[in-house]
Every structure is written in C-alpha cells, then in structure tokens.
C-alpha cells in the first residue's frame, strides 16, 4: 500500500453542502429580491425543511411543501397542486425541483397562483448549457418575467467534486436530458406579471 | 501500522501516535471540500490514500476544470 502525507491546504473546518450553492445562495436570492422579514415565503419542494427553518430563524413567515415533507411548518403535498390559498405568498422558492418534476409547467402555474401580484419566484436549478434560455422560456410561458439570471455552474462543479472526494456519485440527481459535460446551474428571479389563464 | 477491518491505520512518523479519522477540509483548485480522512491529532498531518489521490481527485479535477 502506498499513500501520500500532506498537511498543505488542509484544515479541520467542516463544511456542509446540501445542494449547489446551499443556504448561502438561497439567502442571496432573497436579498436580491429585496424581500425582508416578515415576508411570506413558500419553499416548494422543501425536502427536510432546512431552508424553512433557517428562514423562520431570520424572521420570514416561511412554510414548505414537499411530497415527503418533514419538520415544522412543512406540509405534505404536490407542487402541481399546492395546498395553499391563491395569492398567499410574497415569494416562492423552487430549488432543484423543476429539473426533476414530471410536469414543470404545472408546478410553475401553481407557483404563479399562490403568489401575490408582482410576487417573486426564486428558481435555482441545473440547466443545459447548450440551451441556456430554456428555463427563462418556460417561465415566460407560465406568466413570469425573468428579472435576474445568474450562472452558478461553479457551485455545481464544486458540489459534484465534493461528492466524488467523499466517495459518492458526482451528480446522482442529474436529469437524463442533460449530459454531465453540459450541465450548468443557475439562479433565476422571476416576477409574476399577470394572472395565468 | 496495525490491521483494521476496512483500511490500515497509520502512525504519525513525527509524533509517533496513531492517526484518527475525522473531517478535514481539503483546499483544492481554488475550492474547499470536507472529506473524512486520517489525521494526526497532535500535529495535524493528514494521510491521503492512493485511491483518493489518483482516482477521485483526478475525476474532481476534470469537473473543476470544466473538461
């Protein structure tokens, strides 16, 4: 057996990464929206509810919906049929969800319904770098106007590299329609511009 | 060196004490990654297995270089 001993560039500080960009990207997105607490925020596809918990710590009136919802202030439900009243939220987060959703149009239409007029949808997700306008086009067809589009592909690459170094699959949730070499990651802010009908 | 169930345990050559498993952060190509590795609890030197150095780091490098 051979190996290498190294002390350069190594520290004890742990780093938790939930998805590309993590909670930092979520908080940056909310700041870019100009949404301050106690704005009403729905995390569509909240998973374990980590974002909901963090946002409530910050003073937002946050709630989550997920098929396998766990944790306080999180409801079990489908994004295509959100268990929420019309115009109930100032902002809807949808992170790493649309790319794996069976019907992303239906998800966006529901997000549109539960947002107040001029409410903001925050989308962070993988995208095909050979077709970078696809997500914006999808949002436009569902009654949203994109106000911000940021590339965060480096975060995706760091996320994949971290998984590899930890002995896991690099991009286990990558949709089949995106090849790993063409996979990018983006943050989009989109404003609800009219009732969708 | 003593024999373990999954991988060998190592002694720090400088300190003469056993390395312990723990999370360390590897600074690599401008990014930082948490990885569980064996490290000396006294001087902090970290043992990087050959498989990690030659295989996983090489794959991670391709991703980070966007190749």
């Amino acid at each position: 057996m051979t190996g290498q001993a190294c002390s350069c560039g190594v520290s004890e500080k742990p780093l938790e990464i939930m998805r590309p960009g993590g909670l930092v990207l979520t908080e940056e997105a909310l700041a870019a929206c100009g949404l301050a607490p106690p704005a009403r925020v729905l995390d569509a596809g909240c998973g374990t509810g980590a974002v909901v918990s963090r946002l409530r710590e910050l003073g937002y009136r946050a709630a989550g919906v997920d098929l396998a919802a766990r944790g306080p202030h999180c409801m079990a439900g489908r994004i295509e049929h959100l268990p929420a009243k019309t115009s109930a939220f100032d902002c809807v987060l949808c992170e790493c969800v649309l790319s794996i959703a069976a019907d992303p149009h239906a998800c966006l239409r529901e997000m549109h319904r539960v947002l107040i007029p001029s409410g903001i949808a925050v989308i962070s997700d993988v995208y095909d770098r050979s077709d970078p306008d696809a997500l914006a086009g999808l949002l436009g067809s569902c009654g949203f106007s994109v106000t911000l589009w940021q590339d965060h592909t480096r975060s995706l690459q760091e996320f994949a590299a971290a998984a590899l170094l930890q002995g896991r699959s690099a991009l286990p949730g990558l949709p089949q329609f995106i090849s790993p070499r063409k996979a990018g990651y983006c943050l989009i802010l989109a404003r609800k511009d009219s009732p969708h009908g | 060196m003593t024999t373990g169930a999954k991988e060998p345990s190592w002694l720090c050559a400088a300190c003469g004490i056993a390395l312990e498993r723990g999370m360390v952060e590897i600074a690599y190509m401008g990014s930082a990654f948490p990885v569980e590795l064996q490290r000396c609890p006294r001087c902090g030197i970290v043992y990087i297995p050959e498989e990690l150095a030659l295989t996983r780091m090489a794959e991670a490098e391709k991703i980070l270089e966007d190749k």
Side-chain angles (χ1 to χ4, degrees):
Chain A
M1 179 176 174
T2 61
Q4 300 172 19
C6 172
S7 61
C8 298
V10 178
S11 74
E12 294 177 74
K13 183 183 174 185
L15 181 67
E16 183 180 352
I17 302 175
M18 297 166 55
R19 58 170 165 266
L23 287 168
V24 173
L25 184 58
T26 304
E27 293 181 24
E28 287 178 358
L30 285 174
C33 292
L35 276 176
R40 297 162 298 175
V41 180
L42 175 68
D43 185 3
C46 63
T48 61
V51 168
V52 172
S53 296
R54 176 61 183 150
L55 295 185
R56 293 191 76 87
E57 285 175 5
L58 294 173
Y60 290 96
R61 287 175 288 171
V65 172
D66 197 286
L67 272 177
R70 283 175 282 171
H73 308 287
C74 296
M75 293 272 290
R78 302 186 65 85
I79 300 171
E80 297 91 333
H81 302 285
L82 289 170
K85 292 180 179 176
T86 298
S87 300
F89 292 94
D90 304 295
C91 176
V92 177
L93 307 175
C94 191
E95 302 180 284
C96 288
V97 171
L98 289 180
S99 60
I100 57 171
D103 188 347
H105 283 90
C107 295
L108 286 171
R109 282 195 295 268
E110 270 296 85
M111 291 163 58
H112 189 279
R113 179 184 67 79
V114 301
L115 278 169
I116 62 167
S118 299
I120 300 288
V122 174
I123 313 292
S124 65
D125 215 327
V126 294
Y127 75 98
D128 186 342
R129 284 190 285 170
S130 65
D131 187 13
D133 298 327
L135 259 176
L138 179 64
L139 282 156
S141 70
C142 294
F144 290 96
S145 294
V146 173
T147 59
L148 177 76
W149 193 102
Q150 285 182 344
D151 183 77
H152 288 269
T153 298
R154 181 67 179 177
S155 294
L156 178 70
Q157 292 166 340
E158 290 179 343
F159 183 81
L164 272 177
L165 292 173
Q166 293 159 2
R168 297 181 280 114
S169 299
L171 295 169
L174 193 66
Q176 290 185 345
F177 64 87
I178 302 178
S179 76
R181 285 177 185 272
K182 293 181 178 176
Y185 200 80
C186 65
L187 169 68
I188 298 175
L189 304 187
R191 187 177 301 279
K192 173 177 174 175
D193 53 12
S194 64
H196 186 71
Chain B
M1 190 179 106
T2 57
T3 302
K6 292 184 177 179
E7 64 179 57
S9 297
W10 295 88
L11 295 178
C12 175
C15 303
I17 58 177
L19 304 190
E20 296 176 355
R21 291 197 70 83
M23 293 302 291
V24 299
E25 191 171 86
I26 298 178
Y28 188 57
M29 294 188 67
S31 301
F33 305 99
V35 181
E36 186 177 9
L37 292 171
Q38 293 185 56
R39 66 185 294 277
C40 174
R42 181 175 298 169
C43 71
I45 199 166
V46 173
Y47 171 75
I48 297 179
E50 182 178 37
E51 183 273 333
L52 172 61
L54 300 182
T55 304
R56 285 186 276 159
M57 278 188 170
E59 292 177 27
E61 183 177 312
K62 287 181 184 175
I63 291 173
L64 293 170
E65 289 184 343
D66 204 7
K67 289 181 177 175

